[in-house]
Amino acid sequence: MYHHVKKLMFTVRVDEPDPRFGNMLLEQFGGANGELAAAMQYSIQGLNCEDPDRKDLLMDIGTEELSHLEIVGTLARMHLQPTKFDRQAAEADPLIAIAGGGGVNLFNSQGNAWTADYLKITGELDVDLRSNIAAEARAKIVYERLINFCDDAGTKDALQFLMTREITHMKAFALALESMGKPAFSIGRIAPTPGLVDQYFNDSTGTGEHGEIDTRGPWNEGNGWVFTESPAIQAEPGASAAIVTESSPPAEQAGLSDLLIDELRDILHAEKQLTKALPKMAEAARFDQLRELFEQHLVETENQVERINECFELLSKTARAKPCKGMMGLVEEGQEIMAEGEEKDDAAADLALIGAAQRVEHYEISAYTTAKNLAQQLRHSAVVALLSKSLAEEENSDQLLNQVARSLMSVAKMPAAIEQAE
């Protein structure tokens, strides 16, 4: 909940209004590094933040930036006030004087409208905090430049106050980032390519016609850096290490290849069990729509078995099934449900059957997703394509079962509705 307290955080005083300087102040009102941009950036980051402690930080500072917006707006309005009645003052900024009546609006010092494009919001807390530190640093420099162009003592006091708070916020964001305990270059969840991440490309090199003198420092030597000549001069004698590229063959990833084979063998056994179970489920189904769905999925399952066999061929491995205890349990449970369904009404029996079938689908969706992700990591693109097709069929089958279930639930409600009507 926001509440506007009708007094300024800082009491603004302007002794000698300066319309031209008032126009400059608009950079911190509706500009890219201004207070509205900061207030919106931090507040929206806060709304997205799942971390309650740092959410509080973002909302605190976002709210304070709204207060700063009021200070800057009040300061700019006082400097622009002569444009309301003085022709010469109005000429300093006709847009403000004529279109805005001498008041402030959400424009920067060049008359460009404020835009949400100014905001840096990624939804990754550590990345957003780094953006916020940079935003406060930019705002601090803008206030410093405004102070240097200002002669009014009261205005300078206000700008000094605002500039100081930028440093306060920078410190708070920096300490919040540090408190997360993440390594400085641990961004996101996917690891960078080994080797490539430590290569420094010497892309502005040489003397005379070849460029300026090379410089070495902690940014390109020591600490694991590999100093690498640019592609333009790689062919020259004495060139350093070649560039590591993503298209290079992947290094053998310990255990992943074996894990992929195990997953495929597990899926193969699971699918073969289903080719035996689905005809029984189709026979047990009372409603034609459900029976047809099971028969259709049987054909898909037989094709999925063929795809798994093709995956083994692509990987030069024997297509041998590994007992899938998870699917064995699900099939056994399905058999119990079919036996119990013999004493149930048609809709209830088929709804129970759908529940068993969906548990199977979700199990297979998980298995195919895991196998596909492993194949992607190992860059087996043809295997990924085969697994993706089967995964899409499983997901579609689950959706079709949902649709049939909704229809059966409507049928199951009808007798009760009739009784109430009577």
Side-chain angles (χ1 to χ4, degrees):
M1 180 182 294
Y2 288 89
H3 184 86
H4 181 226
V5 179
K6 298 181 180 67
K7 85 175 184 181
L8 298 176
M9 176 181 286
F10 182 93
T11 303
V12 176
R13 189 185 83 252
V14 172
D15 298 320
E16 295 183 20
D18 180 351
R20 290 184 181 276
F21 188 72
N23 178 272
M24 293 182 185
L25 285 169
L26 292 179
E27 196 61 41
Q28 281 303 92
F29 192 73
N33 301 306
E35 301 296 352
L36 179 62
M40 292 298 97
Q41 179 165 308
Y42 307 157
S43 297
I44 295 172
Q45 287 174 358
L47 290 174
N48 292 329
C49 186
E50 302 292 342
D51 180 330
D53 295 339
R54 290 162 191 84
K55 178 187 182 79
D56 185 55
L57 163 73
L58 291 165
M59 299 306 288
D60 281 346
I61 297 181
T63 303
E64 183 180 342
E65 299 291 6
L66 286 173
S67 301
H68 291 182
L69 182 71
E70 188 173 8
I71 295 173
V72 174
T74 302
L75 198 60
R77 182 179 56 78
M78 288 180 173
H79 277 283
L80 293 169
Q81 195 161 7
T83 62
K84 290 178 176 288
F85 52 82
D86 184 277
R87 164 66 184 269
Q88 186 175 357
E91 289 175 353
D93 194 320
L95 176 65
I96 292 172
I98 306 303
V104 297
N105 208 329
L106 291 177
F107 295 93
N108 66 7
S109 58
Q110 298 301 305
N112 298 316
W114 187 89
T115 169
D117 287 342
Y118 293 153
L119 309 186
K120 309 301 178 192
I121 300 166
T122 68
E124 288 290 332
L125 182 56
D126 58 322
V127 176
D128 284 344
L129 288 172
R130 288 185 175 93
S131 293
N132 297 351
I133 292 166
E136 296 291 338
R138 290 192 296 269
K140 195 273 183 186
I141 291 300
V142 174
Y143 278 125
E144 189 171 303
R145 291 170 180 166
L146 287 168
I147 289 171
N148 290 336
F149 288 129
C150 180
D151 296 322
D152 181 73
T155 300
K156 279 193 170 186
D157 286 344
L159 294 175
Q160 177 70 28
F161 170 82
L162 292 166
M163 183 188 73
T164 300
R165 294 304 295 170
E166 305 299 336
I167 299 298
T168 304
H169 296 166
M170 195 186 308
K171 286 170 57 180
F173 287 136
L175 291 169
L177 179 61
E178 182 182 328
S179 71
M180 293 176 68
K182 292 192 68 174
F185 305 110
S186 175
I187 308 298
R189 293 161 183 79
I190 299 175
T193 302
L196 178 63
V197 72
D198 294 320
Q199 283 192 295
Y200 180 89
F201 293 163
N202 189 28
D203 283 336
S204 59
T205 186
T207 57
E209 294 180 357
H210 295 292
E212 298 183 6
I213 297 171
D214 290 338
T215 302
R216 304 299 295 274
W219 55 87
N220 64 14
E221 68 178 349
N223 299 316
W225 282 116
V226 178
F227 192 77
T228 307
E229 297 296 357
S230 73
I233 57 175
Q234 278 274 330
E236 291 188 4
S240 59
I243 294 172
V244 177
T245 64
E246 281 285 4
S247 57
S248 302
E252 180 62 28
Q253 301 185 58
L256 291 192
S257 294
D258 291 341
L259 182 57
L260 174 59
I261 297 302
D262 281 347
E263 289 289 334
L264 292 175
R265 286 176 173 159
D266 190 88
I267 294 172
L268 180 60
H269 188 258
E271 296 291 24
K272 285 184 174 180
Q273 287 185 77
L274 273 184
T275 59
K276 298 175 182 178
L278 280 168
K280 297 176 183 177
M281 296 174 77
E283 185 179 351
R286 313 279 181 86
F287 287 84
D288 292 342
Q289 190 179 8
L290 182 58
R291 183 182 306 108
E292 290 168 4
L293 183 54
F294 285 142
E295 290 170 350
Q296 174 189 328
H297 195 51
L298 173 60
V299 175
E300 289 178 339
T301 302
E302 291 169 344
N303 291 333
Q304 288 163 6
V305 169
E306 293 305 314
R307 288 192 202 111
I308 295 294
N309 289 331
E310 190 175 345
C311 287
F312 282 116
E313 288 180 17
L314 291 168
L315 297 169
S316 301
K317 296 291 182 180
T318 304
R320 185 175 71 251
K322 170 187 172 183
C324 178
K325 295 179 181 178
M327 185 60 75
M328 290 167 67
L330 290 170
V331 169
E332 183 179 349
E333 184 179 33
Q335 290 172 341
E336 292 176 1
I337 287 171
M338 285 187 281
E340 293 169 357
E342 293 176 0
E343 299 179 4
K344 293 180 180 178
D345 293 338
D346 289 350
D350 275 3
L351 283 169
L353 197 55
I354 288 172
Q358 287 195 286
R359 282 191 283 277
V360 168
E361 294 302 332
H362 293 176
Y363 185 87
E364 289 193 296
I365 288 168
S366 298
Y368 275 113
T369 300
T370 299
K372 185 191 78 168
N373 290 342
L374 287 167
Q376 282 179 326
Q377 183 66 22
L378 294 165
R379 301 185 194 171
H380 296 307
S381 56
V383 174
V384 171
L386 290 168
L387 295 174
S388 296
K389 187 170 184 180
S390 294
L391 175 59
E393 288 175 350
E394 303 294 2
E395 291 172 338
N396 183 61
S397 180
D398 182 52
Q399 291 298 315
L400 292 173
L401 286 167
N402 269 334
Q403 292 175 14
V404 175
R406 284 196 290 269
S407 298
L408 290 178
M409 286 178 186
S410 298
V411 170
K413 287 179 181 178
M414 287 176 64
I418 293 170
E419 286 176 11
Q420 288 178 1
E422 292 174 353

